[in-house]
Amino acid sequence: MTPFTFTRAADAPDAVQRATDASTKFFGGGTNLVDLMREAVERPTTLIDVTGLSDGVEDTEGGGLMIGAATTNTALAEHRAVRTRYPVLSRAILAGASAQIRNMATVGGNLLQRTRCTYFYDVEGSRCNKRQPGQGCDAIEGFNRIHAILGASPSCVATHPSDMCVALAALDAVVHLSSAGGTRTLPLTDLHRLPGEHPEIETMLEPGELITAIELPAMPMAAHSAYRKVRDRASYAFALISVAAALEVEDGRVTDVRLALGGVAHRPWRAFRAEEALRGGPATVAAFTAAARAELADAQPLRDNGFKVELATRTIAAVLADLAGVSA
């Protein structure tokens, strides 16, 4: 492991002032970063502890929630306002990891966790453009069962591993950021990048920029929401496909909907095309299936993951059908 220094920031301005170069990393629960350091994927020279800076969940004036970036996943999943007003978020977090990891992992760190692609972690034996730009991507012709079917590129077919981020994408979450130059906000759906030719650049964060909070807008429809994760085993496995959805139905027709997918792309995938197809239409399994197929029309599966297209279609339809209270 590369030698490093460890410091604790007094507040957000202090943290961003200390982040002077790319070899400095902010440290939350460390549940992903420490693993990456052990595997020599990440080699920071300085860690800045930000776990004491922004902890807690508060109501906003607009009727939403402001979630401090240092809030643990467990605290967020168990918060009464989250469980009652945004149950999809609580369920996504509880599907995401073991209890021990949820007790340590922070909300800000969850947003910035890196892919679990096997080739990304195999420093000595595999080529990976995300780890070393220009090296190549062994996953494309390798074992790619868990990899992306949407938004991938010839440079990278990795998927984003977070469950929580899928729910946040469906909830129109907004990320609050701080840097030496000031503060700004960014929609969660714009935070993560598709790989393109530079998969090593994973987010829209500027160098030294710190996530300080995540804001959930008021969304009455979110009280009627669900998260479903399809995986190889029931405990502690990353999603093959996951679906976060909130649905509003009146007189048998969809008046509003939010839909996001996990396990399909380099970032949490907001299903805008499916949402547009559903609004104003009938709340039927046939309509839900047609909208899912429209969303997945541009899917480009690899040798081992073609099953994801049909699996995602059926999972989307099943989740929406459950929320609508209809059956095939």
Side-chain angles (χ1 to χ4, degrees), residues 3-18:
F4 62 90
T5 59
F6 186 91
T7 63
R8 181 171 287 112
D11 52 28
D14 179 43
V16 298
Q17 289 295 334
R18 292 171 184 249

Side-chain angles (χ1 to χ4, degrees), residues 59-82:
D59 288 311
T60 65
E61 291 185 2
L65 291 178
M66 188 71 72
I67 304 162
T71 305
T72 66
N73 288 6
T74 294
L76 183 60
E78 293 180 350
H79 196 280
R80 181 179 294 275
V82 175

Side-chain angles (χ1 to χ4, degrees), residues 220-221 224 246-250 253-257:
M221 174 181 58
H224 190 56
L247 185 67
E248 185 176 78
V249 176
E250 292 182 11
R253 305 193 76 81
V254 176
T255 56
D256 205 358
V257 61

Side-chain angles (χ1 to χ4, degrees), residues 6-318:
F6 186 91
T7 63
R8 181 171 287 112
D11 52 28
D14 179 43
V16 298
Q17 289 295 334
R18 292 171 184 249
T20 56
D21 57 57
S23 66
T24 298
K25 295 289 183 181
F26 296 120
F27 181 87
T31 57
N32 185 214
L33 179 57
V34 171
D35 283 346
L36 292 169
M37 292 171 65
R38 286 171 176 162
E39 299 295 332
V41 176
E42 294 273 14
R43 299 182 180 184
T45 59
T46 301
L47 295 181
I48 302 172
D49 184 354
V50 294
T51 53
L53 302 191
S54 53
D55 184 6
V57 181
E58 299 179 354
D59 288 311
T60 65
E61 291 185 2
L65 291 178
M66 188 71 72
I67 304 162
T71 305
T72 66
N73 288 6
T74 294
L76 183 60
E78 293 180 350
H79 196 280
R80 181 179 294 275
V82 175
R83 290 189 289 112
T84 56
R85 289 152 55 184
Y86 307 91
V88 63
L89 178 56
S90 180
R91 292 168 187 170
I93 294 170
L94 294 175
S98 68
Q100 293 92 335
I101 290 176
R102 293 195 300 269
N103 288 342
M104 289 293 297
T106 62
V107 171
N110 191 298
L111 268 61
L112 298 180
Q113 64 180 301
R114 306 191 72 184
T115 184
R116 269 32 179 218
C117 173
T118 303
Y119 300 97
F120 172 69
Y121 275 83
D122 185 12
V123 175
E124 299 297 330
S126 299
R127 298 177 304 154
C128 175
N129 289 317
K130 180 183 289 294
R131 192 181 64 243
Q132 185 174 336
Q135 189 178 54
C137 175
D138 279 344
I140 292 176
E141 297 298 330
F143 183 65
N144 44 46
R145 183 171 179 270
I146 68 170
H147 290 73
I149 58 173
L150 292 169
S153 76
S155 296
C156 183
V157 293
T159 56
H160 195 271
S162 174
D163 291 279
M164 186 186 78
C165 285
V166 180
L168 291 175
L171 293 171
D172 296 335
V174 175
V175 182
H176 289 246
L177 304 168
S178 179
S179 70
T183 62
R184 66 175 179 133
T185 61
L186 191 67
L188 187 280
T189 51
D190 292 339
L191 175 65
H192 302 97
R193 294 165 48 104
L194 291 178
E197 295 181 356
H198 292 283
E200 77 280 7
I201 306 174
E202 298 175 338
T203 72
M204 300 302 292
L205 296 184
E206 300 294 337
E209 202 163 27
L210 173 68
I211 296 174
T212 57
I214 295 87
E215 183 177 0
L216 298 181
M219 186 184 293
M221 174 181 58
H224 190 56
S225 60
Y227 185 77
R228 185 171 299 184
K229 179 177 183 178
V230 182
R231 46 189 164 176
D232 284 327
R233 61 182 186 273
S235 65
Y236 197 26
F238 296 101
L240 295 172
I241 293 291
S242 64
V243 175
L247 185 67
E248 185 176 78
V249 176
E250 292 182 11
D251 298 325
R253 305 193 76 81
V254 176
T255 56
D256 205 358
V257 61
R258 297 291 187 278
L259 186 65
L261 310 178
V264 298
H266 197 256
R267 66 184 183 195
W269 188 267
R270 179 69 177 268
F272 290 112
R273 186 183 296 179
E275 291 177 1
E276 183 64 25
L278 288 167
R279 289 191 183 97
T284 64
V285 173
F288 300 151
T289 301
R293 294 201 188 285
E295 186 64 46
L296 295 160
D298 296 333
Q300 295 182 318
L302 301 164
R303 183 194 63 225
D304 301 322
N305 68 359
F307 70 93
K308 282 192 174 189
V309 178
E310 186 62 22
L311 181 61
T313 300
R314 295 188 181 194
T315 306
I316 291 168

